[in-house]
Amino acid sequence: MEGNQSWIAEFILVGFQLSEKMELLLFVIFSLLYTFNLLANGMILGLICLDPRLHTPMYYFLSHLAIIDMSYASSNLPNLLANLVKHTKKISFVLCIMQMIFNLNFASIECLILVVMSYDRYVAICHPLQYTVIMNWRVCTVLAIASWACAFSMALVQVSLFLRLPFCGPQKVNHFFCEIQSVLKVTCGETWINDIFLFAEGVFILVGPLSLMLVSYVHILWAILKIQSKEGRKKAFSTCSSHLCVVGFYFGIAMMVYLVPESSQRDEQKKILFLFYTLFNPLLNPLVYSLRNAQVKAAFHRVFQKERTM
């Protein structure tokens, strides 16, 4: 342990330098946003489970997205809220490792699920007659399991590489949670292998899927323009534009964080981006898919009416 002090007791999360009153105010605001996130995503998940008309591949993957958003926020916010109300900034080493695994895992899964959803829309619009054959439940299940397994494997690789590093100085992490790039900066070992793997994973998870989605949507747009019915074009545009809103927001922030070269001036900007992503991105999916989706709104009315008649 004298030569390699990886197993330290705790880290200090620097976060934002705020007064105690401001921390209490943020605690209230973040608690409300977190609660609304759980309720909104839980509502989407409940509607999909309760309404048989939503038992389709598109909503099957949307249910995975709801689970991912609730899980991602739950891996970061409870510790942040506890630190705000207690006015402390400590996190145990074990909890920090768990945060890194969960964050890397859920962030990667969301990328892969968004790719699968774009493929589902491509098949539905470009090959509608073969849709039920191509996107059968066996294929959907395999795609979902593969996405979760791939993301979890990559997260384990990243954390395994991190655990080999020694710590020999103040364990102050310039972030509000254990984000892997920020924690790597407090180690005193060579991190070039970690940086290479992290960049490679960013390219694989961000650039590759985004390229596939752009190709899919070029074909989708071309197919939509060929639709003769005005109502059909409107419905197709509505569904795809909702997905593109989520994709643009998610991939835009992730690429700015993981693919733009590091600099000391970007640390505060990254913290704000991560805070925005942790608080608002989980709310984006239920808001976009419920407010812009007629099927979800109709399902809500059906379930609500059913509950009133019981």
Side-chain angles (χ1 to χ4, degrees):
M1 290 297 295
E2 292 179 1
N4 186 342
Q5 299 181 25
S6 292
W7 296 100
I8 58 175
E10 61 186 17
F11 288 102
I12 298 173
L13 299 174
V14 175
F16 300 99
Q17 302 299 320
L18 303 169
S19 65
E20 290 189 359
K21 289 184 179 180
M22 182 59 70
E23 286 185 340
L24 289 175
L25 176 62
L26 290 180
F27 170 79
V28 174
I29 295 172
F30 294 171
S31 297
L32 291 174
L33 290 172
Y34 180 47
T35 302
F36 187 59
N37 160 34
L38 296 180
L39 291 174
N41 281 290
M43 182 196 72
I44 292 291
L45 195 59
L47 286 176
I48 294 171
C49 293
L50 293 173
D51 195 322
R53 299 186 191 185
L54 298 184
H55 293 176
T56 63
M58 174 183 172
Y59 294 102
Y60 171 71
F61 294 121
L62 184 57
S63 67
H64 281 267
L65 212 56
I67 293 171
I68 292 164
D69 285 333
M70 288 190 290
S71 302
Y72 183 86
S74 297
S75 67
N76 297 331
L77 288 177
N79 184 75
L80 173 61
L81 294 174
N83 286 349
L84 286 174
V85 75
K86 294 177 182 177
H87 309 297
T88 61
K89 299 183 177 181
K90 296 180 180 180
I91 184 171
S92 68
F93 183 83
V94 174
L95 185 56
C96 186
I97 297 300
M98 295 302 294
Q99 270 197 351
M100 280 193 284
I101 291 175
F102 288 142
N103 276 280
L104 290 168
N105 184 38
F106 293 127
S108 300
I109 291 171
E110 184 150 357
C111 288
L112 298 174
I113 291 295
L114 288 172
V115 174
V116 173
M117 290 179 71
S118 70
Y119 175 70
D120 172 71
R121 292 300 84 205
Y122 164 75
V123 176
I125 294 173
C126 298
H127 303 284
L129 298 179
Q130 292 84 33
Y131 179 73
T132 55
V133 177
I134 297 174
M135 296 301 294
N136 59 68
W137 284 112
R138 182 180 179 182
V139 170
C140 293
T141 304
V142 168
L143 288 173
I145 292 175
S147 298
W148 284 81
C150 180
F152 188 66
S153 300
M154 289 189 291
L156 283 181
V157 169
Q158 290 291 346
V159 174
S160 298
L161 290 172
F162 168 79
L163 289 174
R164 70 183 176 83
L165 297 171
F167 294 89
C168 51
Q171 314 311 325
K172 293 185 178 181
V173 178
N174 189 20
H175 218 292
F176 61 88
F177 75 98
C178 285
E179 191 271 325
I180 190 166
Q181 286 182 322
S182 300
V183 181
L184 283 173
K185 292 179 180 179
V186 303
T187 65
C188 56
E190 292 291 337
T191 63
W192 62 271
I193 295 178
N194 304 71
D195 295 332
I196 290 175
F197 271 84
L198 197 59
F199 182 80
E201 183 178 325
V203 172
F204 177 74
I205 283 292
L206 297 173
V207 179
L210 185 59
S211 301
L212 291 173
M213 280 187 279
L214 291 176
V215 171
S216 295
Y217 273 98
V218 168
H219 287 88
I220 289 171
L221 180 61
W222 184 249
I224 289 174
L225 293 175
K226 291 181 180 179
I227 297 175
Q228 299 297 323
S229 167
K230 183 179 179 180
E231 188 64 28
R233 286 199 303 270
K234 183 180 178 181
K235 183 179 179 181
F237 268 121
S238 177
T239 303
C240 295
S241 61
S242 298
H243 189 249
L244 281 174
C245 286
V246 175
V247 167
F249 184 84
Y250 181 85
F251 279 83
I253 290 180
M255 292 180 79
M256 282 191 289
V257 169
Y258 287 106
L259 298 182
V260 175
E262 283 287 314
S263 67
S264 57
Q265 291 78 16
R266 291 186 64 243
D267 288 342
E268 296 302 314
Q269 298 172 2
K270 282 177 60 177
K271 283 192 284 187
I272 294 172
L273 285 175
F274 267 108
L275 186 63
F276 194 78
Y277 179 76
T278 303
L279 290 169
F280 294 103
N281 186 67
L283 293 173
L284 182 67
N285 292 332
L287 289 175
V288 166
Y289 284 108
S290 60
L291 295 177
R292 295 178 57 86
N293 193 302
Q295 284 181 289
V296 172
K297 288 187 282 188
F300 178 79
H301 289 301
R302 284 194 297 270
V303 171
F304 183 72
Q305 290 295 331
K306 185 178 179 180
E307 290 295 325
R308 288 185 63 183
T309 56
M310 290 179 64

